[in-house]
Amino acid sequence: MDVSVIGGGPGGLYASILLQKANPDWEITVHERNPQGVTYGWGIVLPNRTLSNLRAADAPSYEAIDERSTQWEPFDLYYGGERYRSSGHSFASMLRTDLLELLQERCRDLGVALEFESEIDDPQSLAAASDLVIGADGIHSETRSEFADEFGAETVDGEARFSWFGTEADFDALSHIFVENEDGIWCAHTYPGEVSTFIVDCDAETWANADLDQRSEEEYLAYLEDVFAEHLDGHELLSQVDRWQTFTTVRNERWSHDNLVLIGDAAHTAHYSIGSGTTLAMEDAIALADAIGESDADVGTALESYEQQRRPIAESLQRSGERSRLHFEDIRRFYGFDGIQFVLHHLTRSGRLTYDSMSRRDPDLVEEFERWFAASSPGGAATPEQADPVSPATQPLELRDLTLSNRAVRVAGQTFDARDGRPTDAQLAAVRERSNDGAGLTMTEPLAVSEDGRITPGSPGLYSDDHVSAWQETIASADTPVGSTLVHTGTNGARQTQPFGLEGPIPRNESWASRVTDQYSNPPRTYAPDRLQGEDLERIERTFADAARRADDAGFDYLQLQLGNGYLLGSFLSPLTNDRTDAYGGDLESRVQFPLEVVDAVRDAWPDSKPLGAVVQATDWAADGLTLEDSFAVGRALSDRGVDVLAPVAGGVSDDQHRGDVHGLANFSDELRNEVGLPTMATVQATTSDEVNTLVGTSRADLCTYYGSVNEL
């Protein structure tokens, strides 16, 4: 076969090595646009698992990498003037120039033709003249651009600014160094080596304040040397045609077209903060070479097999990289954390590490954190040193006068067999079962505030004094505090819902009551925001307040209002469902007014000593719908009105919703908690103590809905 490789970076060179090694009679040519010996960038990192794969794929190049790389195991984080060292993070780092040099040497040994200053302006002609073309030309791939439609290429730019530098300052571990000055927050990502890599990034606000784009290279290098003076130890920052840029996320719907295939950054990018760029490129090369070998050089079959194997892995790393990128872009949100709290949140930012995996990697660090968390919890020791190290999930939480013994929340499943809103014995038994297993809080299924506000005809409610007596005995006999969610379904009447479902209500089962019956004298559309008049709004507000009083009479300890998933109050918030043109419609400040009036009425009716929560819509996941930024504004307004807990949900408003790959309910809990400054209940389907500890312990939530065994917390 005649194989042409566009791009002489690590991925392109390594693919050439493996293909030539397996097929000595093939003609393989690498086309590199730069002169020999010229490259941009400083160091690269490779995790231990990748080193093992490189050893198995090609021992000679692995041995050269092993000889010229620096091995290290700890990770250092500098924050608030202190250094925190975490063990168990084994990597190797080396200069990019050294890696390219040894891979080029291995290519020559095998007979690969290396052509420098060979820029391919017409990939299509090259593909016509070759049996296989490998596009390994990086993040700004001309190959991808030439066939953008065929690949389904998409690029998205981030907001934070970064640039790569080198320094002769000595670092003995991968480090993230956070420094705050008058302009904002700076972070340096360092890799150890003969010449250390020193990547500097900052959020958009810091960049704007510092005006680095108005400074010459000499001026901004001097500025950064002053920012990081304590860590550079008198050494300069070394520049190598560095440029400030935002990170570009590259995605392609397809990685191949005819006999042309993309690998590495040309196919997909992962944020530099997780150190996976070179790893992805070289492991792509391994998978591509294996696929070609297994297909007996059938190019079409090989390229399909390569993508099937690598895409799930690459997309998983991309999601991790995106979470990490967003963490750095929103760093101000977390910068007030205590030191050890910041460290654990930072180390778990991408989702690749959990609480349990951190405990295995670095038990001493996690023990230090657990002592801090225990001392910070209600009734904790005076100092972390005096506290016993116990898992965060088992620590108490105070909400006004209510103290929860741990952070797990049980949610009773729905049975849909209430009669006229009064719970049946089966529904009450479900609550009793959950309230006696040791969770911190038990939540009943949602309770309707009016007959026509029920989710289904079999849904329970609190719209009659008769309902109060039905709940009193069950709540009085509970071993744990009991809470509930007050809801008016609005246009979602006569449908099924999950307590904290991602999608909101699902379509009505035809075996249930019709949408308009004696029980539903008003069709659900009657409760669309634009149909409700002044007297309707006043009545709805009263029903919520009356239900709150009944909840107190019944003995409920915690109450929250449903403001999400397209239910009535949530439908006022979303621009997709609120078409009003009066004081309750239009911009967000107006759309939130009626829900806030209901919150005020409920807060007045509900005792000051008892906490009030809100199920809040984080995003509609739909074009022109409610956004996360909108949710922050809603959360702040709720906080001002006396709401104590936010329980984020998403979607359920539009049939044309598109759930994001990166943001889920756990992420929304993290963002709302640390942006708004209120405790959050993560409305996830957690089944293990690791999930609860990861959310609560890393300050992403204060409570977590939990479906596992409480004894395992």
Side-chain angles (χ1 to χ4, degrees):
M1 286 180 63
D2 187 342
V3 179
S4 297
V5 180
I6 304 175
L13 292 172
Y14 203 60
S16 302
I17 289 169
L18 299 181
L19 289 174
Q20 193 75 81
K21 175 184 174 183
N23 307 279
D25 58 334
W26 286 12
E27 296 291 331
I28 301 177
T29 304
V30 177
H31 299 271
E32 168 55 43
R33 73 181 70 180
N34 293 317
Q36 184 170 357
V38 174
T39 187
Y40 302 103
W42 293 88
I44 61 95
V45 294
L46 298 168
N48 273 3
R49 69 176 186 280
T50 298
L51 293 174
S52 298
N53 293 336
L54 298 183
R55 181 193 295 115
D58 184 57
S61 58
Y62 163 77
E63 291 168 1
I65 290 171
D66 185 56
E67 181 180 342
R68 299 176 72 168
S69 62
T70 300
Q71 309 284 330
W72 37 268
E73 183 263 350
F75 168 82
D76 285 346
L77 191 147
Y78 294 83
Y79 173 76
E82 300 289 334
R83 185 188 79 168
Y84 298 86
R85 170 158 287 192
S86 176
S87 60
H89 310 272
S90 298
F91 282 85
S93 63
M94 64 189 305
L95 288 174
R96 178 179 169 86
T97 51
D98 288 349
L99 177 61
L100 294 179
E101 183 179 294
L102 68 87
L103 292 178
Q104 290 166 7
E105 183 177 348
R106 178 65 172 148
C107 280
R108 293 189 184 96
D109 290 344
L110 292 169
V112 175
L114 302 179
E115 295 189 5
F116 295 95
E117 299 182 76
S118 176
E119 187 160 2
I120 303 301
D121 296 321
D122 187 3
Q124 191 164 7
S125 296
L126 185 65
S130 307
D131 296 304
L132 173 66
V133 174
I134 300 174
D137 45 347
I139 193 169
H140 302 295
S141 170
E142 291 293 337
T143 311
R144 183 184 66 243
S145 297
E146 180 72 19
F147 294 93
D149 291 340
E150 288 80 0
F151 289 125
E154 177 190 21
T155 60
V156 179
D157 291 332
E159 296 180 1
R161 296 281 181 162
F162 73 98
S163 190
W164 292 65
F165 305 99
T167 180
E168 293 181 356
D170 185 34
F171 299 94
D172 60 357
L174 185 151
S175 304
H176 286 175
I177 303 169
F178 287 93
V179 177
E180 186 173 15
N181 71 354
E182 66 278 4
D183 291 323
I185 301 168
W186 301 89
C187 182
H189 309 237
T190 73
Y191 309 157
E194 293 180 14
V195 177
S196 297
T197 299
F198 201 91
I199 309 168
V200 177
D201 66 21
C202 64
D203 64 3
E205 183 176 341
T206 302
W207 173 258
N209 291 341
D211 286 330
L212 291 196
D213 56 333
Q214 304 299 316
R215 303 175 190 243
S216 67
E217 182 179 70
E218 181 180 356
E219 289 172 334
Y220 72 63
L221 286 175
Y223 175 92
L224 294 174
E225 287 165 359
D226 180 65
V227 170
F228 294 103
E230 180 182 347
H231 305 279
L232 290 171
D233 196 25
H235 293 280
E236 297 179 339
L237 288 179
L238 307 176
S239 179
Q240 189 188 71
V241 195
D242 298 294
R243 60 177 182 173
W244 291 92
Q245 56 192 306
T246 58
F247 184 79
T248 300
T249 299
V250 173
R251 296 186 182 90
N252 290 278
E253 294 178 6
R254 295 163 294 280
W255 291 358
S256 64
H257 169 64
D258 293 337
N259 65 332
L260 197 154
V261 63
L262 302 177
I263 67 172
D265 282 353
H268 43 68
T269 56
H271 195 255
Y272 56 84
S273 60
I274 65 170
S276 293
T278 302
T279 291
L280 278 168
M282 297 185 76
E283 292 192 341
D284 279 356
I286 295 172
L288 178 60
D290 287 347
I292 291 173
E294 292 167 2
S295 68
D296 196 24
D298 182 321
V299 171
T301 300
L303 300 190
E304 182 178 345
S305 175
Y306 152 71
E307 183 170 346
Q308 287 178 346
Q309 178 191 343
R310 287 296 295 167
R311 180 177 285 278
I313 298 169
E315 289 183 345
S316 176
L317 280 172
Q318 275 197 304
R319 287 191 293 271
S320 296
E322 282 295 280
R323 294 187 189 103
S324 186
R325 176 183 67 81
L326 292 169
H327 172 87
F328 280 96
E329 291 186 353
D330 297 327
I331 197 65
R332 292 170 187 269
R333 192 174 291 158
F334 320 110
Y335 210 69
F337 284 2
D338 285 353
I340 192 65
Q341 179 188 21
F342 183 89
V343 171
L344 200 63
H345 187 278
H346 187 76
L347 288 171
T348 55
R349 68 192 181 277
S350 71
R352 297 168 72 191
L353 293 178
T354 68
Y355 196 86
D356 279 2
S357 61
M358 280 301 305
S359 297
R360 292 189 295 270
R361 285 180 180 231
D362 194 343
D364 292 339
L365 180 78
V366 173
E367 179 178 324
E368 179 185 353
F369 170 80
E370 288 184 346
R371 291 183 186 276
W372 170 86
F373 196 96
S376 304
S377 298
T383 66
E385 292 74 19
Q386 295 172 307
D388 293 327
V390 291
S391 70
T394 64
Q395 292 297 296
L397 176 68
E398 285 183 353
L399 298 170
R400 298 198 180 225
D401 289 354
L402 175 65
T403 299
L404 306 180
S405 62
N406 60 63
R407 306 306 182 92
V409 177
R410 290 295 205 196
V411 181
Q414 297 185 63
T415 52
F416 307 113
D417 58 357
R419 296 181 178 87
D420 297 323
R422 183 181 176 89
T424 62
D425 290 343
Q427 288 172 309
L428 295 174
V431 174
R432 278 195 297 272
E433 179 183 357
R434 284 160 179 78
S435 66
N436 292 321
D437 70 355
L441 176 67
T442 299
M443 294 292 292
T444 74
E445 58 187 292
L447 301 179
V449 298
S450 63
E451 182 180 20
D452 49 12
R454 289 175 295 172
I455 297 169
T456 77
S459 296
L462 269 178
Y463 51 84
S464 166
D465 291 341
D466 180 53
H467 301 153
V468 174
S469 59
W471 286 104
Q472 283 175 328
E473 182 179 349
T474 296
I475 295 173
S477 64
D479 291 337
T480 63
V482 178
S484 191
T485 303
L486 296 184
V487 62
H488 190 300
T489 58
T491 60
N492 282 328
R495 302 211 296 183
Q496 184 182 13
T497 183
Q498 298 180 18
F500 296 107
L502 277 174
E503 309 298 336
I506 63 175
R508 175 178 57 86
N509 187 305
E510 291 301 326
S511 66
W512 295 345
S514 303
R515 296 180 72 86
V516 183
T517 66
D518 291 341
Q519 293 173 303
Y520 281 92
S521 56
N522 296 312
R525 179 60 190 159
T526 300
Y527 291 99
D530 61 334
R531 301 283 186 91
L532 296 170
Q533 304 304 314
E535 60 185 24
D536 300 319
L537 298 177
E538 291 174 4
R539 181 178 66 83
I540 291 168
E541 183 179 316
R542 284 197 305 273
T543 62
F544 271 95
D546 290 343
R549 293 187 188 94
R550 294 188 183 100
D552 182 43
D553 292 341
F556 283 98
D557 303 286
Y558 170 78
L559 198 63
Q560 63 185 17
L561 306 181
Q562 174 57 270
L563 274 73
N565 290 145
Y567 293 113
L568 190 141
L569 297 183
S571 68
F572 273 82
L573 297 175
S574 174
L576 299 178
T577 50
N578 186 343
D579 295 326
R580 297 179 73 105
T581 57
D582 61 2
Y584 295 127
D587 61 16
L588 180 63
E589 185 177 359
S590 299
R591 298 197 309 272
V592 77
Q593 286 310 305
F594 179 63
L596 290 180
E597 290 176 10
V598 172
V599 170
D600 286 341
V602 170
R603 185 70 271 182
D604 287 343
W606 183 243
D608 285 342
S609 60
K610 293 185 177 183
L612 177 66
V615 179
V616 62
Q617 186 83 346
T619 174
D620 287 343
W621 273 330
D624 301 320
L626 192 84
T627 67
L628 185 59
E629 290 296 324
D630 294 335
S631 183
F632 292 155
V634 172
R636 294 187 188 99
L638 293 171
S639 177
D640 291 342
R641 303 301 179 103
V643 167
D644 305 292
V645 178
L646 300 177
V649 294
V653 173
S654 170
D655 291 335
D656 192 29
Q657 71 179 33
H658 300 282
R659 181 181 176 184
D661 290 335
V662 175
H663 278 77
L665 294 180
N667 305 97
F668 295 138
S669 175
D670 181 12
E671 289 157 334
L672 277 162
R673 179 190 190 275
N674 294 304
E675 179 68 29
V676 176
L678 275 183
T680 55
M681 180 190 300
T683 57
V684 297
Q685 300 286 323
T687 58
T688 66
S689 61
D690 185 29
E691 292 171 280
V692 181
N693 280 321
T694 298
L695 288 167
V696 173
T698 63
S699 306
R700 291 176 167 85
D702 300 271
L703 294 166
C704 182
T705 53
Y706 179 58
Y707 299 85
S709 170
V710 175
N711 293 330
E712 295 177 1
L713 288 177

